[in-house]
Amino acid sequence: MNRQRSYRLRVVEVIRETADAHSIVLEPDEADAGRFDHRPGQYLTFNVPTEREGGAARCYSLSSSPLLGERLKVTVKRTADGYGSNWICDNLREGDEIETLRPAGTFTPRTLDADFLLFAGGSGITPLMSILKSALHAGRGRVALVYANRDERSVIFRDELVALEKQYAGRLHVVHLLESVQGIPRVETLAELARPYAARDVFVCGPAPFMDAVGEGVAAVGVPAGRTHYERFSSLAEDPFTEPAVVLDTEAEAAGTVEVELDGETTTLAWPTANRMLDVFLAAGLDAPYSCREGRCSACACVLLDGEVELEHNEVLEKEDIADGIVLACQAVPRSERVRVTYDQ
């Protein structure tokens, strides 16, 4: 069992994508390389240095494709009051190190052979770039990308997108929306852009108003809610790099059991009702994935195979996810004596 929670990544290159956005290329120690296997659309959680209480954990999506042999790369755009984004853009240089959790997140396609409709707003292009490149390289479907920005100078990956359109002519179609030209994207405009692709799986990332407008637009042209996927990040109230407080009174009458499939191994643990599932896993030394530990990010999501649990808090799982048996380990408390879950699906 691996009790290591976090890892240090070396900065091997810093790329200035635009005046406000930097890509940080990262490399783990050779012994840790397997811990950073990931799926297109996932993200890293950085421990951004700070003297303030509670730490400054920040989540940044990977723009690199895990299927192209690319090094880990996150792309960070400055925000006016963003402590993490400004610190990263101002301070990280080649040769530096930064502490991170393992890749996490469920904003990732179940198959790369589908046809996709991607909506990106600003730095929301980051996880979609990973999905786009992976689908074109390893999948057989077509990809349409609608990318909204303030102006032409704000377009991250502009040259790379042009090159990809040429390389995958007939499979990749990119539409740019520029606020300086067309104004702020309207629901009606987004709906018309989505209409020819209404049968596709939709992935959306960007500022909240943009994602809300996209949601209205795709719903208006008949895209079912279960086929529209959103990546939403919010500030963390707690520090996920600290050890969780766990009370493991395994002899208490209230203790049941939880059986978990993780990394190809099955483990059965006592689960006192006062504890959340993830905390039980971590206290036992399991290398269970997590990020925020607040029910906001879905990094700890697993599938309930047997038994019943209750989620104390949930900001990310949709009704369709819950119907499929997906639960958040960081928020799950037992409602049956025996529970069985898996991370290996």
Side-chain angles (χ1 to χ4, degrees):
M1 294 182 184
N2 182 9
R3 292 181 179 272
Q4 186 172 352
R5 304 280 185 251
S6 63
Y7 303 82
R8 298 197 70 82
L9 295 176
R10 293 185 301 277
V11 178
V12 296
E13 187 179 5
V14 177
I15 303 168
R16 183 171 178 174
E17 303 286 0
T18 69
D20 296 326
H22 291 186
S23 285
I24 313 297
V25 183
L26 302 155
E27 188 174 69
D29 288 338
E30 186 175 348
D32 296 332
R35 297 290 171 186
F36 288 88
D37 291 341
H38 62 285
R39 300 188 302 277
Q42 292 193 302
Y43 61 85
L44 295 174
T45 302
F46 289 155
N47 189 10
V48 179
T50 179
E51 296 180 358
R52 55 185 175 184
E53 185 178 353
R58 296 292 187 271
C59 302
Y60 296 104
S61 295
L62 288 153
S63 55
S64 49
S65 167
L67 303 176
L68 288 170
E70 297 176 333
R71 286 171 163 165
L72 299 168
K73 181 170 71 174
V74 298
T75 303
V76 180
K77 183 177 180 180
R78 294 180 187 271
T79 56
D81 299 315
Y83 174 81
S85 64
N86 282 282
W87 187 93
I88 287 171
C89 290
D90 288 339
N91 292 279
L92 278 187
R93 299 291 183 269
E94 182 178 339
D96 291 341
E97 292 187 346
I98 190 165
E99 184 181 13
T100 181
L101 302 178
R102 293 174 61 184
T106 58
F107 186 70
T108 182
R110 293 185 178 182
T111 175
L112 293 175
D113 288 327
D115 291 333
F116 296 104
L117 172 58
L118 313 178
F119 282 93
S123 60
I125 187 63
T126 304
L128 298 179
M129 197 66 177
S130 178
I131 293 172
L132 180 154
K133 290 189 293 184
S134 300
L136 292 173
H137 173 74
R140 294 172 293 189
R142 296 163 297 172
V143 180
L145 168 66
V146 177
Y147 188 12
N149 279 283
R150 183 175 60 251
D151 52 41
E152 188 174 354
R153 292 176 299 176
S154 303
V155 179
I156 304 171
F157 308 128
R158 178 179 56 189
D159 294 341
E160 189 174 1
L161 286 170
V162 170
L164 286 168
E165 272 199 291
K166 292 179 180 178
Q167 181 180 354
Y168 295 98
R171 291 185 60 203
L172 174 62
H173 178 56
V174 180
V175 175
H176 290 281
L177 296 179
L178 301 179
E179 185 178 338
S180 60
V181 177
Q182 295 110 331
I184 295 175
R186 299 168 59 243
V187 171
E188 296 79 8
T189 301
L190 297 167
E192 286 307 307
L193 290 170
R195 192 178 300 279
Y197 312 107
R200 300 188 180 188
D201 290 336
V202 181
F203 286 79
V204 189
C205 188
F210 172 77
M211 291 199 291
D212 291 342
V214 171
E216 288 187 46
V218 298
V221 297
V223 179
R227 283 201 289 106
T228 304
H229 312 275
Y230 303 91
E231 182 68 305
R232 301 181 187 273
F233 292 114
S234 57
S235 297
L236 304 181
E238 300 179 13
D239 182 2
F241 289 88
T242 61
E243 289 292 321
V246 179
V247 180
L248 287 178
D249 183 5
T250 57
E251 297 181 359
E253 292 183 3
T257 61
V258 55
E259 179 183 297
V260 55
E261 298 172 2
L262 176 64
D263 294 334
E265 297 184 3
T266 300
T267 306
T268 301
L269 302 169
W271 187 4
T273 57
N275 295 279
R276 295 174 178 175
M277 184 192 296
L278 176 65
D279 293 345
V280 171
F281 294 162
L282 297 181
L286 297 184
D287 195 18
Y290 70 92
S291 182
C292 73
R293 298 210 304 246
E294 298 176 5
R296 296 181 178 184
C297 75
S298 76
C300 66
C302 56
V303 179
L304 181 68
L305 300 176
D306 191 22
E308 297 181 11
V309 302
E310 179 181 330
L311 301 185
E312 294 186 337
H313 187 72
N314 168 36
E315 294 186 21
V316 290
L317 297 183
E318 306 290 345
K319 292 180 180 179
E320 294 80 9
D321 298 323
I322 295 172
D324 288 339
I326 299 175
V327 298
L328 301 176
C330 77
Q331 297 298 311
V333 293
R335 289 297 177 259
S336 62
E337 290 187 4
R338 181 175 179 271
V339 172
R340 187 162 63 97
V341 300
T342 183
Y343 288 93
D344 292 345
Q345 290 192 348

